Amino acid sequence: MSSALIKCLNLAKTVGNATVRSFLAAPKQPWQSCSAAALQTPHVQMPMQMHTSAVRRDLMEFFDDKKNWSENEVKVGRAWRTEELRIKSNKELHQLWFVLLKERNMLLTMEHECNDKMEVFPSPERIDKVKISMENLETVVRERNKAYHLLETGETGERPQKAVKNAFGLQVSYKACEHALPPFMNLKWIKSRNIGYGGRAVNRFLLKYREKLYNAKRKAKNRSRNEVMMILRRNPNFDLDVLRRQFPDVNVDKLRNEDKIRGHYVPKVGV
């Protein structure tokens, strides 16, 4: 071995030893101290701060508090409104979503268990309140997403949709979705979406369906008209402006001139 090669090896060894000594003599960083502590206690697990309520590491988190099991009614508040959710930050909405999700799972579990045991589920309206709160929260998040995408790209950011007619000739909303193939090459998509409607059976169904809608609308209008007539028959001096606001589909002025609103009462005669 040549003398030049031996000198190079000795120089590399000296530089390596100096680098290791300087690294050991340098002050430890916070992450190094945490790593050392974790290595010294390998069996200790750091708790995850993901729960907003008291953490219970068992299946009882799917059940209600034991003091509510034998109750017939549980006092709870109302659902969250959109006006209240709009003033909250995204982090608070995220936390509230998981709180509502846990509450919904607990209520559904309790409902199933009560039905299985043939017992009364206390305050079943809690499930509806939680669902309304989650729907309002999704509405607020969707509003923020729309505002962000409109500001950045000029579009809403949601899937485009259009009104199409199904096999029964009824108008439905179709939301576009992504496909691996373009429309003109995707034969499966063309066969599933290009559905023509027609024929004697479909036309007869549409005729009956429109007749059903018309009868429902006509009956609702007649009920409102009869209710206004009954109010005017019992209370001739009733405020007409209130009736116009409450029954916008009824012509109140025209009903006042009909004989059906005249009640069986003795008119006041001036002495």
Side-chain angles (χ1 to χ4, degrees), residues 247-261:
F247 302 96
D249 298 336
V250 179
N251 191 353
V252 180
D253 298 329
K254 183 178 179 180
L255 286 179
R256 290 188 62 190
N257 300 326
E258 293 189 4
D259 298 336
K260 294 183 179 180
I261 68 170

Side-chain angles (χ1 to χ4, degrees), residues 24-33 36 40:
L24 295 176
K28 292 185 178 181
Q29 300 295 330
W31 63 271
Q32 293 176 345
S33 60
Q40 292 176 3

